[in-house]
Amino acid sequence: MKKFNSILIVLFFAGMFFSCKKYLTVNPKTQMPQDVIFSTEGGFKDALTGVYIQMKNNNTYGGALTQTTIESLTSSWDVTSNSNEQRLGLFNYSDAGVQGSFENIWGQQYATIASINAILGQIDAKKSIFTTPGLYEMIKGECLALRAYLHFDMLRLFGPVPGNTAGAMLPYVTVLSNKPNARVSYTEFQNALYKDLNDAESIIKSVDPIIQYSINQLKNPSVSSGFNPSDTFFAFRYLRMNYYAVKGLQARVYLWFNDAPKAYESAKLVIDAKNTDGTNKFRLGTIADYTAKDFVLTSEHLFGLYDFDMYNKYTSRYSSGTYKKGTTESTIKTQLYGNTGTDIRESSLWELITLSNGTKCYVIKKYQAAANNLVTSSTDFKQIPMLRLSEMYLIAAETAPYAEGIEYFKTFRTSRNIGNMTVPANPTALQTEIIKEYRKEFYAEGQGFFNYKRLNIPKASFLFAPSAATINYLVPVPKTEAI
């Protein structure tokens, strides 16, 4: 695979205006050699902040792995003839443009992994420079979990369908090196994921403020809030790979590997998490959130990336009609949501807009955000969802004992105002209903394709698949990465 130079690390200026989350939104300041940047606590913090900024790149979670390329694989958007988006929806993996889209994902994802490995390659040797209690553990734990998160999505995209996993696999890169990284077997990749996640959990659990303090306290660090850390790097944990995000990722990973008991255990821990006053740590979104224009449902985020440029991206992608679905409401309301008349996503998450040429199209409002000059602390919802509570409910519904799973599913559906339902007769019927909810719930988040692939869903159950498409979940490794 491609080699990454280990000489330079981008240094990000991240120490200003923490109350508005800018530590994850600023631009690169300069470049510095590793021995300089990793000579202080601040250097390690800046390097980790740089990783989160890399993750917002449009070639990965800022676009391709949430809203654009991967959603084109599920034909989530209307396309023009002979476009790259159309060829993605037809699974035309031999097309040069399609190959280029996947090469961009591959390159950016492994570049971010290289940045993580640069930190992990230095942090133990430099442990003595850490004087702030818990900072070493928090940075190391986050890096291990982020490395697992990024590798897992490479597996879900470029790896095999679960159940047919023979042969060589992908690189699981744990060392920053200028030597090629060999691909490992499916089992080795799986074990490496488990190790990173288990190590991250054990390291971060004892120091993460999110366990002791509420999300509201973490958002408002001050004497009056009851959470006033000497270092505000410990605040805003819901925007970082925190302890509950690690557990949520474990649930997602165990589900992929068909370990239902462990997936359920991890999802349940997140669902049951409480603040010291007995209130839920995270809550499912409701119509009140949509009314407040929190269309991305930040109350559900176990981990989200703060995207300072979300308003401009929404204007470019959605308000312009570039990413749209249908020219009337019927495509979404009837085909996607089943025309319930009550589902809050059906009634409030999409809108019919008129473009400058007079044509109408239906667009999702999930990433609609206030302009930066108009935003306040109570209206700042510019977060890309990376792990959400709703997914934990759907995982629990699928992996818990059947009767318990039904209750989790009912709770989730009630939050979306579709609580009345015919109870699925058996686990297979329940899973069919869960599949429908995945494609409704995670539209424009990329999770729909991964759920289809995990279950090897046939074309008949693949909503919006073009008639000319032959479903192919085996996305090829870019030719430029051939060993």
Side-chain angles (χ1 to χ4, degrees), residues 17 19-22 25 292-294 298 306-311 368-383:
F17 205 21
S19 63
C20 285
K21 311 171 206 176
K22 282 196 175 180
T25 69
K293 298 188 182 304
D294 182 3
T298 55
Y306 185 81
D307 191 349
F308 188 74
D309 199 37
M310 188 173 284
Y311 171 81
Q368 190 179 90
N372 293 325
N373 63 326
L374 299 176
V375 76
T376 67
S377 59
S378 62
T379 61
D380 194 0
F381 306 125
K382 296 189 289 294
Q383 293 176 204

Side-chain angles (χ1 to χ4, degrees), residues 355-371:
L355 303 178
S356 58
N357 62 5
T359 61
K360 296 182 183 295
C361 60
Y362 214 44
V363 298
I364 195 168
K365 296 192 288 185
K366 182 168 284 187
Y367 297 97
Q368 190 179 90

Side-chain angles (χ1 to χ4, degrees), residues 347-421:
S347 62
S348 302
L349 193 55
W350 295 75
E351 66 179 340
L352 190 64
I353 64 172
T354 303
L355 303 178
S356 58
N357 62 5
T359 61
K360 296 182 183 295
C361 60
Y362 214 44
V363 298
I364 195 168
K365 296 192 288 185
K366 182 168 284 187
Y367 297 97
Q368 190 179 90
N372 293 325
N373 63 326
L374 299 176
V375 76
T376 67
S377 59
S378 62
T379 61
D380 194 0
F381 306 125
K382 296 189 289 294
Q383 293 176 204
I384 302 168
M386 301 291 282
L387 284 158
R388 287 205 283 135
L389 183 64
S390 58
E391 184 180 356
M392 299 301 105
Y393 271 90
L394 293 177
I395 290 174
E398 183 175 346
T399 57
Y402 171 69
E404 294 177 40
I406 289 292
E407 294 306 311
Y408 283 112
F409 195 53
K410 285 181 178 178
T411 300
F412 165 75
R413 284 175 57 93
T414 296
S415 73
R416 302 313 187 237
N417 203 31
I418 47 173
N420 295 330
M421 70 172 188

Side-chain angles (χ1 to χ4, degrees), residues 259-312:
D259 190 337
K262 287 186 177 180
Y264 175 45
E265 178 185 4
S266 297
K268 186 176 186 299
L269 185 146
V270 175
I271 292 169
D272 293 343
K274 297 289 192 297
N275 297 313
T276 55
D277 63 359
T279 57
N280 291 329
K281 184 73 64 176
F282 308 97
R283 66 168 179 81
L284 288 168
T286 65
I287 188 61
D289 295 288
Y290 286 164
T291 301
K293 298 188 182 304
D294 182 3
F295 297 113
V296 79
L297 300 180
T298 55
S299 71
E300 296 189 356
H301 292 197
L302 316 180
F303 168 32
L305 293 174
Y306 185 81
D307 191 349
F308 188 74
D309 199 37
M310 188 173 284
Y311 171 81
N312 291 327

